[in-house]
Amino acid sequence: MKRIAVYPGSFDPVTNGHLDIIKRASGIFDELIVAVFNNPNKTPTFSMEERVALMEKVAGEVPGVRIDAFSGLLNEYAVKKNARNIVRGLRALSDFEKEFQQALMYKKLNPDLEIMFLMTSQDYGFLSSSLVKEIASLGGCIDGLVPEPVKEFLIEFYKNKDQRN
Amino acid sequence: MKRIAVYPGSFDPVTNGHLDIIKRASGIFDELIVAVFNNPNKTPTFSMEERVALMEKVAGEVPGVRIDAFSGLLNEYAVKKNARNIVRGLRALSDFEKEFQQALMYKKLNPDLEIMFLMTSQDYGFLSSSLVKEIASLGGCIDGLVPEPVKEFLIEFYKNKDQRN
Amino acid sequence: MKRIAVYPGSFDPVTNGHLDIIKRASGIFDELIVAVFNNPNKTPTFSMEERVALMEKVAGEVPGVRIDAFSGLLNEYAVKKNARNIVRGLRALSDFEKEFQQALMYKKLNPDLEIMFLMTSQDYGFLSSSLVKEIASLGGCIDGLVPEPVKEFLIEFYKNKDQRN
Amino acid sequence: MKRIAVYPGSFDPVTNGHLDIIKRASGIFDELIVAVFNNPNKTPTFSMEERVALMEKVAGEVPGVRIDAFSGLLNEYAVKKNARNIVRGLRALSDFEKEFQQALMYKKLNPDLEIMFLMTSQDYGFLSSSLVKEIASLGGCIDGLVPEPVKEFLIEFYKNKDQRN
Amino acid sequence: MKRIAVYPGSFDPVTNGHLDIIKRASGIFDELIVAVFNNPNKTPTFSMEERVALMEKVAGEVPGVRIDAFSGLLNEYAVKKNARNIVRGLRALSDFEKEFQQALMYKKLNPDLEIMFLMTSQDYGFLSSSLVKEIASLGGCIDGLVPEPVKEFLIEFYKNKDQRN
Amino acid sequence: MKRIAVYPGSFDPVTNGHLDIIKRASGIFDELIVAVFNNPNKTPTFSMEERVALMEKVAGEVPGVRIDAFSGLLNEYAVKKNARNIVRGLRALSDFEKEFQQALMYKKLNPDLEIMFLMTSQDYGFLSSSLVKEIASLGGCIDGLVPEPVKEFLIEFYKNKDQRN
């Protein structure tokens, strides 16, 4: 039986921290579905299409990785994809409790699901999509924080935004 | 002298976790006032009337419990009701610090008030009103998370919402 | 029915933080049993007799308070005393998780028990018996940290200890 | 070489907790620049002008303190001001992780910067600008929470707001 | 290539929480080596032989699981066993930071190792080997906390200990 | 007036994390006294002489740094040395609460003292003297965790210890 895992997130946009988790998790499973999530309660900075396209560019070639988009309940999505594992990155500096709360809920909704946490690599312990956007929007240097295509995309995005304002 | 306590919250909507605290706290005091709170800085999903009505349905019959609505400062409300105790549920997975910060402030505003924390039962450690709404809005099963009347109310609410969109 | 609560601890020795909890908790219940605990896995600095005697001196006169000593399981002790409530002080700076872990265990062993947490008053948020002993053993000033009889006892204790060494 | 430090914040409005940090930090450095920050991602309650004016009133006379306003990246601002140190207040009850995340990011963007944390004094451990505004907006007493000019400003502000509504 | 993981611990003794992790982790890998660890810096309550024998009794039959004993450095042990993954249980109420610190160290010593965290099931969130021993030593009921053979072993152990004293 | 700060610790032994704090803190003050502490309640692995000698070797040449040994109360020591500041390293993964508790106590004993926290550099966030000793005692590689002289000392120490056993 193929071992399939889902790595869900809004990836708004994907950072080097996400990419690190993708590379490491892909080695553990036969197939890793990176699932860009559409949260109806949040307004992302970038559209689902933009987020999926950036993810394709930076993680599309990682062996065993497939990019997908989904909305709705994560546990139902996982079942539909025959995935028995959910992968989440855990930062020493992240909201540990929120992760746990979500995981317990998914476990309750679907006891067969196994949620696994990988430690975010030390170099990216402070990194988050919103921090990257904050720096980029203020014209700061984001080298080493996001993959090259994301960097170019962000610079372009905030340049245009400034011109509109 | 009658021992009166206030259990304040937005209860937007009341969950099984809240109900568990109500049942347990009501045994400690002669009277427990479940006070549905109108926070001027937040927009609740459900109206004050809806939240009070749901609370009446699920907790109105618990011995020693009275349902009320209030806005303004909690400490002034407590004094007006002759309540010397505030009850708060504390989840292992909740924002412990925020609870403490609020409690210290109320204590400073009114040193006679005694804020007591009851541990949320293990079964509801992951539960919050917003998680319940998130699941319900995505069509997920909320059995065991909220009392029956709340479940029916939520299903109806999100069915209507979908039809409007 | 009389409302009885147990406030357990090693009280090695009792500090102003403990005393503050005792005074506040005694107002909530008809009877508060301050139960000096003999933990078989720890070696206290002071004997059970010394700890009980100090507690009698500083809290013996608080209305509704009774001092007792116990060993064994807290939940069985509480049942024997007809106490349905356990009171614990919670410091913003204390080991919150350890408290919760203990409380969940007692709740599992005896579901009828209700464990309540009172916030330690802000002035004593940093205070612990071991900190007090550390300062006293180094000859530091412990005014305001422990009640007067405890202060005298500690000064005497560490003076004698120095002379023996 | 003059030792210059920056104490950044939105100060929306300045509280007694901020003022305490300012007084203590000013003693450590030759010059302390209190830098009122314009965060493009948040909408402050009070305008930059109001926040700077209040800060001038309450901290303008503290020896070695200079008030300034800035937008953009903190690390670039510090470099421009020849400041090698950033001062942040750290509350036992604050979002410790968020502070750390920000600090690590600034450290990465500019490794020469030294971020220092001062413990918020125990009396203000629960205090935040938003708590103060919440109390003031509900007509509660904010004596001892903010300096006198801020208190008057807030009372006036919420009185006018009520009349408009 | 066979996917091998190591689940290390002192298992002093194995609890239902450990067993839950073993069963869930064994489904993720081709082989799970439950490695009873001999920590030279701690004195376990039970001998290595006793801890391995109990583990054999309760987990020896789980498909894909092999029991082993080891001392020395975990990362070197994992390499020797051709295991690229380390599994650790993470309790909401456990020492999260200590786990992370250990994991970061092993990652530094051996960057190829992948440390994965599984959430301890909600029912065992409060459980630890030392809590179980504390209850058992005081004659409390440990049904549901440890597997049957461990329960019998503990009861026998503390009966004998009492007779010796 | 000369700005003097004390950086206290048991340094049992000094790690690269400590050294990083020393170098960074020395730039903030005119004089930094690295004070090796003799805690009467703990038994260090290495003698005071050994710990001071290692510190001299690795930090003795840092400009503005002076090495000293002390026992007794930190606040009294600081006063005697005319130091108004205490420096402590703060790891994202360290016992934050314990640091705060100690700091609040020293602040209470001596309100003029200013305790400042510097963030441990990201590379050393997982590092502690006891982790280093654990690895070294098991024959693991400690390159990059401690300065060269400490490494040689530890290797020698554990070689001799093994021969004695």
Side-chain angles (χ1 to χ4, degrees):
Chain A
M1 204 187 66
K2 238 172 126 183
R3 283 195 184 87
I4 304 173
V6 171
Y7 176 41
S10 13
F11 306 114
D12 186 33
V14 51
T15 69
N16 280 343
H18 299 133
L19 195 53
D20 174 61
I21 295 286
I22 290 171
K23 284 177 183 161
R24 288 157 54 198
S26 67
I28 303 176
F29 299 98
D30 296 308
E31 185 177 325
L32 181 75
I33 305 174
V34 177
V36 184
F37 176 53
N38 217 23
N39 187 336
N41 302 315
K42 275 201 243 170
T43 311
T45 308
F46 306 113
S47 74
M48 177 56 97
E49 288 67 34
E50 289 170 317
R51 287 180 284 147
V52 168
L54 283 174
M55 188 57 93
E56 286 284 6
K57 268 191 202 161
V58 305
E61 307 295 306
V62 181
V65 166
R66 203 150 56 82
I67 319 292
D68 196 15
F70 87 102
S71 53
L73 282 169
L74 174 59
N75 57 316
E76 293 178 359
Y77 173 78
V79 167
K80 217 173 57 194
K81 295 291 174 183
N82 293 316
R84 288 217 24 218
N85 294 276
I86 307 287
V87 173
R88 294 290 293 161
L90 201 55
R91 291 174 297 184
L93 297 165
S94 76
D95 193 352
F96 170 62
E97 296 201 330
K98 203 176 150 196
E99 280 296 327
F100 237 65
Q101 205 171 4
Q102 290 264 0
L104 281 171
M105 189 191 72
Y106 284 122
K107 191 85 188 166
K108 177 163 189 114
L109 290 172
N110 198 328
D112 283 344
L113 270 184
E114 202 51 76
I115 296 104
M116 293 170 30
F117 297 99
L118 294 186
M119 259 186 337
T120 295
S121 149
Q122 219 175 338
D123 292 343
Y124 307 125
F126 65 91
L127 200 55
S128 74
S129 293
S130 36
L131 269 177
V132 167
K133 283 183 283 189
E134 192 183 326
I135 302 173
S137 74
L138 296 168
C141 165
I142 53 175
D143 280 0
L145 304 184
V146 289
E148 207 53 30
V150 178
K151 182 185 147 187
E152 286 160 21
F153 176 84
L154 284 175
I155 290 172
E156 199 63 23
F157 177 84
Y158 286 107
K159 207 170 60 189
N160 293 338
K161 207 177 170 188
D162 280 356
Q163 290 170 346
R164 272 176 311 207
N165 293 352
Chain B
M1 204 187 65
K2 238 172 125 182
R3 283 196 185 85
I4 304 174
V6 171
Y7 176 42
S10 14
F11 306 114
D12 186 32
V14 52
T15 69
N16 279 343
H18 299 133
L19 195 52
D20 175 60
I21 295 288
I22 291 171
K23 284 177 182 160
R24 289 157 53 197
S26 67
I28 304 177
F29 300 97
D30 297 307
E31 184 176 326
L32 181 75
I33 305 175
V34 178
V36 183
F37 177 52
N38 217 23
N39 187 337
N41 301 314
K42 275 201 242 169
T43 311
T45 309
F46 306 113
S47 74
M48 178 56 98
E49 289 67 36
E50 289 169 318
R51 288 179 284 148
V52 168
L54 283 173
M55 188 58 93
E56 286 284 5
K57 268 191 201 160
V58 306
E61 306 295 306
V62 181
V65 166
R66 201 149 58 83
I67 320 290
D68 196 14
F70 86 104
S71 53
L73 282 167
L74 174 59
N75 57 317
E76 294 178 358
Y77 174 78
V79 167
K80 217 173 57 193
K81 295 292 174 184
N82 293 315
R84 287 220 23 220
N85 294 276
I86 307 287
V87 173
R88 294 290 293 160
L90 202 54
R91 291 174 297 184
L93 298 164
S94 76
D95 193 352
F96 170 61
E97 296 201 329
K98 204 176 149 197
E99 280 296 327
F100 238 65
Q101 206 171 4
Q102 291 263 1
L104 280 171
M105 190 191 70
Y106 284 123
K107 191 85 187 167
K108 178 162 188 112
L109 291 172
N110 199 328
D112 283 345
L113 270 183
E114 202 51 77
I115 296 105
M116 293 170 30
F117 297 100
L118 294 187
M119 260 186 337
T120 295
S121 149
Q122 218 174 339
D123 292 343
Y124 307 125
F126 66 91
L127 200 54
S128 73
S129 294
S130 35
L131 269 177
V132 167
K133 284 184 282 189
E134 192 183 324
I135 303 173
S137 74
L138 296 169
C141 164
I142 53 174
D143 280 359
L145 305 184
V146 289
E148 207 54 30
V150 178
K151 181 184 148 187
E152 286 160 21
F153 176 83
L154 284 175
I155 290 173
E156 198 63 23
F157 177 83
Y158 286 107
K159 207 169 61 188
N160 293 338
K161 206 176 170 189
D162 281 355
Q163 289 170 345
R164 273 175 311 209
N165 293 352
Chain C
M1 204 188 64
K2 237 173 125 182
R3 281 195 188 87
I4 304 174
V6 171
Y7 176 40
S10 13
F11 306 114
D12 186 32
V14 52
T15 69
N16 279 344
H18 299 134
L19 194 53
D20 175 60
I21 295 288
I22 290 171
K23 283 177 182 160
R24 289 156 53 198
S26 67
I28 304 176
F29 300 97
D30 296 308
E31 184 177 325
L32 181 75
I33 305 175
V34 177
V36 183
F37 175 52
N38 217 24
N39 187 336
N41 301 314
K42 275 201 242 169
T43 311
T45 308
F46 305 114
S47 74
M48 178 55 98
E49 288 69 35
E50 289 169 317
R51 288 180 282 149
V52 168
L54 284 173
M55 188 58 93
E56 286 284 5
K57 269 192 200 160
V58 305
E61 308 295 305
V62 180
V65 167
R66 202 149 56 83
I67 320 291
D68 196 13
F70 88 103
S71 53
L73 283 167
L74 174 59
N75 59 315
E76 295 178 357
Y77 174 79
V79 167
K80 218 173 57 193
K81 295 290 173 184
N82 293 316
R84 287 216 29 216
N85 294 276
I86 307 287
V87 173
R88 293 290 294 159
L90 202 55
R91 291 174 297 184
L93 296 164
S94 77
D95 193 352
F96 169 61
E97 296 201 330
K98 204 176 148 197
E99 280 297 326
F100 238 64
Q101 206 171 4
Q102 291 264 1
L104 280 172
M105 189 191 70
Y106 285 122
K107 192 86 188 166
K108 178 164 188 111
L109 290 172
N110 198 328
D112 284 344
L113 270 183
E114 204 49 79
I115 295 104
M116 293 169 31
F117 297 100
L118 294 187
M119 260 187 337
T120 295
S121 151
Q122 220 174 337
D123 292 342
Y124 307 125
F126 65 90
L127 200 54
S128 73
S129 294
S130 36
L131 268 178
V132 168
K133 284 184 283 189
E134 193 182 324
I135 303 174
S137 74
L138 296 169
C141 165
I142 53 175
D143 281 0
L145 305 183
V146 289
E148 205 55 28
V150 177
K151 181 184 150 190
E152 285 161 22
F153 176 82
L154 284 175
I155 289 173
E156 197 64 24
F157 177 83
Y158 285 107
K159 206 169 63 188
N160 292 338
K161 207 178 169 187
D162 281 356
Q163 289 171 343
R164 272 176 311 207
N165 293 350
Chain D
M1 204 186 67
K2 239 172 124 182
R3 282 196 185 87
I4 304 173
V6 171
Y7 176 41
S10 12
F11 306 114
D12 186 31
V14 53
T15 69
N16 280 344
H18 299 133
L19 194 52
D20 175 60
I21 295 287
I22 291 171
K23 284 176 182 162
R24 288 157 54 197
S26 67
I28 303 177
F29 299 97
D30 296 308
E31 184 177 325
L32 181 75
I33 305 174
V34 178
V36 183
F37 176 53
N38 216 23
N39 187 336
N41 302 314
K42 275 200 244 170
T43 311
T45 308
F46 305 114
S47 74
M48 178 56 98
E49 288 67 36
E50 289 169 318
R51 287 179 284 148
V52 168
L54 283 174
M55 188 58 92
E56 286 284 5
K57 268 192 202 160
V58 305
E61 307 296 306
V62 180
V65 166
R66 202 150 57 82
I67 319 291
D68 196 14
F70 88 103
S71 53
L73 282 168
L74 174 59
N75 57 316
E76 295 178 357
Y77 173 78
V79 167
K80 216 172 58 193
K81 296 290 173 185
N82 293 315
R84 287 215 28 216
N85 294 276
I86 306 288
V87 173
R88 293 291 293 161
L90 201 55
R91 291 174 297 185
L93 297 164
S94 76
D95 193 352
F96 170 61
E97 297 202 329
K98 204 176 151 198
E99 280 296 327
F100 237 65
Q101 207 172 4
Q102 291 264 2
L104 281 172
M105 189 191 71
Y106 285 123
K107 191 85 187 167
K108 176 162 190 113
L109 291 172
N110 199 329
D112 283 344
L113 270 184
E114 204 49 78
I115 296 103
M116 294 169 29
F117 296 100
L118 295 187
M119 261 186 335
T120 295
S121 150
Q122 220 174 338
D123 292 343
Y124 308 125
F126 66 91
L127 200 55
S128 73
S129 294
S130 35
L131 269 178
V132 168
K133 284 184 282 190
E134 193 184 325
I135 303 174
S137 74
L138 296 168
C141 165
I142 52 174
D143 281 0
L145 304 184
V146 289
E148 206 54 30
V150 178
K151 183 185 148 186
E152 285 160 22
F153 176 82
L154 285 175
I155 290 173
E156 197 64 21
F157 177 84
Y158 286 108
K159 205 168 64 188
N160 292 338
K161 207 176 169 188
D162 280 356
Q163 289 170 346
R164 273 175 312 207
N165 293 352
Chain E
M1 204 187 65
K2 237 173 125 181
R3 279 193 188 89
I4 305 174
V6 171
Y7 176 40
S10 13
F11 305 116
D12 187 32
V14 52
T15 69
N16 279 344
H18 299 134
L19 195 53
D20 176 60
I21 295 287
I22 291 170
K23 284 177 182 159
R24 288 157 53 199
S26 67
I28 304 176
F29 299 97
D30 297 308
E31 185 178 324
L32 181 75
I33 304 175
V34 178
V36 183
F37 177 52
N38 216 25
N39 187 337
N41 302 315
K42 275 201 242 168
T43 310
T45 308
F46 305 114
S47 74
M48 177 57 97
E49 289 67 36
E50 289 169 318
R51 287 180 282 148
V52 169
L54 283 173
M55 188 58 93
E56 285 285 5
K57 268 192 201 160
V58 305
E61 308 295 307
V62 180
V65 167
R66 201 150 58 82
I67 320 290
D68 196 13
F70 87 104
S71 52
L73 282 168
L74 174 59
N75 58 316
E76 294 179 357
Y77 174 79
V79 168
K80 217 172 58 194
K81 295 291 173 185
N82 293 316
R84 287 215 29 217
N85 294 276
I86 307 286
V87 173
R88 293 292 292 161
L90 202 54
R91 291 174 297 186
L93 297 164
S94 77
D95 192 354
F96 170 60
E97 297 201 330
K98 204 176 149 197
E99 280 296 326
F100 237 64
Q101 206 172 4
Q102 291 264 0
L104 280 172
M105 189 191 71
Y106 285 122
K107 192 85 188 166
K108 177 162 188 114
L109 291 172
N110 198 329
D112 284 344
L113 270 184
E114 203 49 80
I115 295 103
M116 294 168 30
F117 297 100
L118 295 186
M119 261 186 339
T120 295
S121 151
Q122 219 174 339
D123 292 343
Y124 307 125
F126 66 90
L127 200 53
S128 73
S129 295
S130 37
L131 268 177
V132 168
K133 284 184 283 190
E134 192 182 324
I135 303 173
S137 74
L138 296 169
C141 165
I142 53 175
D143 281 0
L145 304 183
V146 288
E148 206 55 29
V150 178
K151 181 184 149 191
E152 286 160 22
F153 176 82
L154 284 175
I155 290 173
E156 196 65 21
F157 177 84
Y158 286 107
K159 206 168 63 188
N160 293 337
K161 207 176 169 186
D162 280 356
Q163 289 170 346
R164 271 176 312 210
N165 293 351
Chain F
M1 204 187 65
K2 238 172 124 184
R3 281 195 186 87
I4 304 174
V6 171
Y7 176 40
S10 15
F11 305 115
D12 188 31
V14 52
T15 69
N16 279 343
H18 299 132
L19 195 53
D20 175 61
I21 295 287
I22 290 170
K23 284 177 182 159
R24 288 157 53 198
S26 66
I28 304 177
F29 300 97
D30 297 308
E31 185 177 324
L32 181 75
I33 304 175
V34 177
V36 184
F37 176 52
N38 217 23
N39 186 335
N41 301 314
K42 275 202 241 169
T43 310
T45 308
F46 305 114
S47 74
M48 177 56 96
E49 288 69 35
E50 289 169 318
R51 288 180 282 149
V52 168
L54 284 173
M55 188 57 93
E56 286 284 6
K57 270 191 200 158
V58 306
E61 307 295 306
V62 180
V65 166
R66 202 149 56 83
I67 320 291
D68 196 13
F70 87 104
S71 52
L73 282 168
L74 174 59
N75 58 317
E76 294 178 357
Y77 173 79
V79 168
K80 216 173 58 192
K81 296 290 173 185
N82 292 316
R84 286 214 30 215
N85 294 276
I86 307 286
V87 172
R88 293 291 293 161
L90 202 54
R91 291 174 296 185
L93 297 165
S94 77
D95 193 354
F96 169 61
E97 296 200 330
K98 202 176 150 197
E99 279 297 327
F100 238 64
Q101 206 171 4
Q102 290 265 359
L104 281 172
M105 189 191 71
Y106 285 122
K107 192 86 187 165
K108 177 161 189 114
L109 291 172
N110 198 329
D112 284 344
L113 270 183
E114 203 49 79
I115 295 104
M116 294 168 30
F117 296 100
L118 295 186
M119 260 187 336
T120 295
S121 150
Q122 218 173 341
D123 292 342
Y124 308 125
F126 65 90
L127 200 53
S128 74
S129 294
S130 36
L131 269 177
V132 168
K133 285 184 282 189
E134 192 183 325
I135 303 173
S137 74
L138 296 168
C141 164
I142 53 176
D143 281 0
L145 305 183
V146 288
E148 205 55 29
V150 178
K151 182 185 149 189
E152 286 160 22
F153 176 82
L154 284 175
I155 290 173
E156 197 64 22
F157 177 84
Y158 285 107
K159 206 168 63 187
N160 293 338
K161 206 178 171 186
D162 281 356
Q163 289 170 345
R164 272 177 311 208
N165 293 352

